[in-house]
PDB file of all heavy atoms in Angstrom:
ATOM      1  N   TYR U  17      -6.445  16.954 -10.554  1.00  0.00           N
ATOM      2  CA  TYR U  17      -7.321  17.175 -11.676  1.00  0.00           C
ATOM      3  C   TYR U  17      -7.056  18.459 -12.415  1.00  0.00           C
ATOM      4  O   TYR U  17      -7.664  18.701 -13.434  1.00  0.00           O
ATOM      5  CB  TYR U  17      -8.785  17.192 -11.211  1.00  0.00           C
ATOM      6  CG  TYR U  17      -9.160  15.947 -10.443  1.00  0.00           C
ATOM      7  CD1 TYR U  17      -9.391  15.997  -9.082  1.00  0.00           C
ATOM      8  CD2 TYR U  17      -9.283  14.719 -11.084  1.00  0.00           C
ATOM      9  CE1 TYR U  17      -9.757  14.856  -8.377  1.00  0.00           C
ATOM     10  CE2 TYR U  17      -9.628  13.568 -10.372  1.00  0.00           C
ATOM     11  CZ  TYR U  17      -9.861  13.661  -9.044  1.00  0.00           C
ATOM     12  OH  TYR U  17     -10.205  12.528  -8.341  1.00  0.00           O
ATOM     13  N   LEU U  18      -6.163  19.290 -11.909  1.00  0.00           N
ATOM     14  CA  LEU U  18      -5.872  20.557 -12.550  1.00  0.00           C
ATOM     15  C   LEU U  18      -4.356  20.648 -12.818  1.00  0.00           C
ATOM     16  O   LEU U  18      -3.583  20.912 -11.926  1.00  0.00           O
ATOM     17  CB  LEU U  18      -6.319  21.743 -11.697  1.00  0.00           C
ATOM     18  CG  LEU U  18      -7.794  21.963 -11.603  1.00  0.00           C
ATOM     19  CD1 LEU U  18      -8.091  23.096 -10.620  1.00  0.00           C
ATOM     20  CD2 LEU U  18      -8.387  22.299 -12.941  1.00  0.00           C
ATOM     21  N   ASN U  19      -4.000  20.423 -14.058  1.00  0.00           N
ATOM     22  CA  ASN U  19      -2.619  20.659 -14.467  1.00  0.00           C
ATOM     23  C   ASN U  19      -2.621  21.740 -15.546  1.00  0.00           C
ATOM     24  O   ASN U  19      -3.672  22.237 -15.940  1.00  0.00           O
ATOM     25  CB  ASN U  19      -1.938  19.346 -14.944  1.00  0.00           C
ATOM     26  CG  ASN U  19      -2.651  18.754 -16.133  1.00  0.00           C
ATOM     27  OD1 ASN U  19      -3.069  19.448 -17.054  1.00  0.00           O
ATOM     28  ND2 ASN U  19      -2.808  17.457 -16.126  1.00  0.00           N
ATOM     29  N   GLU U  20      -1.481  22.099 -16.023  1.00  0.00           N
ATOM     30  CA  GLU U  20      -1.375  23.194 -16.990  1.00  0.00           C
ATOM     31  C   GLU U  20      -2.242  22.928 -18.233  1.00  0.00           C
ATOM     32  O   GLU U  20      -2.919  23.833 -18.720  1.00  0.00           O
ATOM     33  CB  GLU U  20       0.079  23.406 -17.369  1.00  0.00           C
ATOM     34  CG  GLU U  20       0.271  24.613 -18.260  1.00  0.00           C
ATOM     35  CD  GLU U  20       1.736  24.892 -18.580  1.00  0.00           C
ATOM     36  OE1 GLU U  20       2.624  24.217 -18.029  1.00  0.00           O
ATOM     37  OE2 GLU U  20       1.966  25.817 -19.362  1.00  0.00           O
ATOM     38  N   ASP U  21      -2.169  21.746 -18.794  1.00  0.00           N
ATOM     39  CA  ASP U  21      -2.942  21.419 -19.993  1.00  0.00           C
ATOM     40  C   ASP U  21      -4.440  21.528 -19.780  1.00  0.00           C
ATOM     41  O   ASP U  21      -5.174  22.040 -20.633  1.00  0.00           O
ATOM     42  CB  ASP U  21      -2.600  20.021 -20.504  1.00  0.00           C
ATOM     43  CG  ASP U  21      -1.186  19.930 -21.043  1.00  0.00           C
ATOM     44  OD1 ASP U  21      -0.624  20.970 -21.469  1.00  0.00           O
ATOM     45  OD2 ASP U  21      -0.631  18.818 -21.002  1.00  0.00           O
ATOM     46  N   ILE U  22      -4.889  21.064 -18.659  1.00  0.00           N
ATOM     47  CA  ILE U  22      -6.338  21.125 -18.339  1.00  0.00           C
ATOM     48  C   ILE U  22      -6.769  22.575 -18.130  1.00  0.00           C
ATOM     49  O   ILE U  22      -7.807  22.996 -18.662  1.00  0.00           O
ATOM     50  CB  ILE U  22      -6.675  20.281 -17.094  1.00  0.00           C
ATOM     51  CG1 ILE U  22      -6.450  18.794 -17.432  1.00  0.00           C
ATOM     52  CG2 ILE U  22      -8.080  20.560 -16.636  1.00  0.00           C
ATOM     53  CD1 ILE U  22      -6.509  17.881 -16.262  1.00  0.00           C
ATOM     54  N   ILE U  23      -5.970  23.352 -17.448  1.00  0.00           N
ATOM     55  CA  ILE U  23      -6.319  24.756 -17.235  1.00  0.00           C
ATOM     56  C   ILE U  23      -6.359  25.531 -18.547  1.00  0.00           C
ATOM     57  O   ILE U  23      -7.264  26.320 -18.787  1.00  0.00           O
ATOM     58  CB  ILE U  23      -5.326  25.414 -16.237  1.00  0.00           C
ATOM     59  CG1 ILE U  23      -5.519  24.791 -14.862  1.00  0.00           C
ATOM     60  CG2 ILE U  23      -5.511  26.930 -16.217  1.00  0.00           C
ATOM     61  CD1 ILE U  23      -4.472  25.176 -13.852  1.00  0.00           C
ATOM     62  N   ILE U  24      -5.441  25.244 -19.444  1.00  0.00           N
ATOM     63  CA  ILE U  24      -5.444  25.854 -20.776  1.00  0.00           C
ATOM     64  C   ILE U  24      -6.753  25.497 -21.510  1.00  0.00           C
ATOM     65  O   ILE U  24      -7.380  26.379 -22.129  1.00  0.00           O
ATOM     66  CB  ILE U  24      -4.209  25.431 -21.602  1.00  0.00           C
ATOM     67  CG1 ILE U  24      -2.970  26.112 -20.992  1.00  0.00           C
ATOM     68  CG2 ILE U  24      -4.356  25.767 -23.082  1.00  0.00           C
ATOM     69  CD1 ILE U  24      -1.638  25.561 -21.549  1.00  0.00           C
ATOM     70  N   ARG U  25      -7.141  24.259 -21.451  1.00  0.00           N
ATOM     71  CA  ARG U  25      -8.351  23.797 -22.119  1.00  0.00           C
ATOM     72  C   ARG U  25      -9.613  24.469 -21.535  1.00  0.00           C
ATOM     73  O   ARG U  25     -10.491  24.945 -22.242  1.00  0.00           O
ATOM     74  CB  ARG U  25      -8.492  22.285 -22.031  1.00  0.00           C
ATOM     75  CG  ARG U  25      -9.778  21.717 -22.582  1.00  0.00           C
ATOM     76  CD  ARG U  25      -9.825  21.875 -24.083  1.00  0.00           C
ATOM     77  NE  ARG U  25     -11.092  21.310 -24.545  1.00  0.00           N
ATOM     78  CZ  ARG U  25     -11.758  21.735 -25.596  1.00  0.00           C
ATOM     79  NH1 ARG U  25     -11.262  22.698 -26.334  1.00  0.00           N
ATOM     80  NH2 ARG U  25     -12.877  21.184 -25.949  1.00  0.00           N
ATOM     81  N   LEU U  26      -9.650  24.528 -20.205  1.00  0.00           N
ATOM     82  CA  LEU U  26     -10.815  25.181 -19.552  1.00  0.00           C
ATOM     83  C   LEU U  26     -10.849  26.645 -19.892  1.00  0.00           C
ATOM     84  O   LEU U  26     -11.947  27.215 -20.160  1.00  0.00           O
ATOM     85  CB  LEU U  26     -10.756  24.930 -18.050  1.00  0.00           C
ATOM     86  CG  LEU U  26     -10.847  23.492 -17.564  1.00  0.00           C
ATOM     87  CD1 LEU U  26     -10.613  23.423 -16.062  1.00  0.00           C
ATOM     88  CD2 LEU U  26     -12.181  22.883 -17.980  1.00  0.00           C
ATOM     89  N   ASN U  27      -9.686  27.291 -19.896  1.00  0.00           N
ATOM     90  CA  ASN U  27      -9.656  28.731 -20.282  1.00  0.00           C
ATOM     91  C   ASN U  27     -10.074  28.935 -21.723  1.00  0.00           C
ATOM     92  O   ASN U  27     -10.745  29.922 -22.067  1.00  0.00           O
ATOM     93  CB  ASN U  27      -8.270  29.292 -20.047  1.00  0.00           C
ATOM     94  CG  ASN U  27      -7.981  29.595 -18.599  1.00  0.00           C
ATOM     95  OD1 ASN U  27      -8.902  29.806 -17.815  1.00  0.00           O
ATOM     96  ND2 ASN U  27      -6.727  29.590 -18.230  1.00  0.00           N
ATOM     97  N   TYR U  28      -9.691  28.015 -22.589  1.00  0.00           N
ATOM     98  CA  TYR U  28     -10.115  28.087 -24.007  1.00  0.00           C
ATOM     99  C   TYR U  28     -11.634  28.071 -24.109  1.00  0.00           C
ATOM    100  O   TYR U  28     -12.217  28.830 -24.866  1.00  0.00           O
ATOM    101  CB  TYR U  28      -9.516  26.929 -24.774  1.00  0.00           C
ATOM    102  CG  TYR U  28     -10.027  26.829 -26.214  1.00  0.00           C
ATOM    103  CD1 TYR U  28      -9.491  27.596 -27.204  1.00  0.00           C
ATOM    104  CD2 TYR U  28     -11.109  25.997 -26.516  1.00  0.00           C
ATOM    105  CE1 TYR U  28      -9.958  27.555 -28.510  1.00  0.00           C
ATOM    106  CE2 TYR U  28     -11.603  25.928 -27.783  1.00  0.00           C
ATOM    107  CZ  TYR U  28     -11.043  26.706 -28.806  1.00  0.00           C
ATOM    108  OH  TYR U  28     -11.565  26.636 -30.054  1.00  0.00           O
TER     109      TYR U  28
END
Side-chain angles (χ1 to χ4, degrees):
Y17 305 109
L18 288 175
N19 60 41
E20 185 176 355
D21 292 334
I22 292 169
I23 292 170
I24 289 169
R25 175 68 181 150
L26 296 174
N27 283 334
Y28 172 84

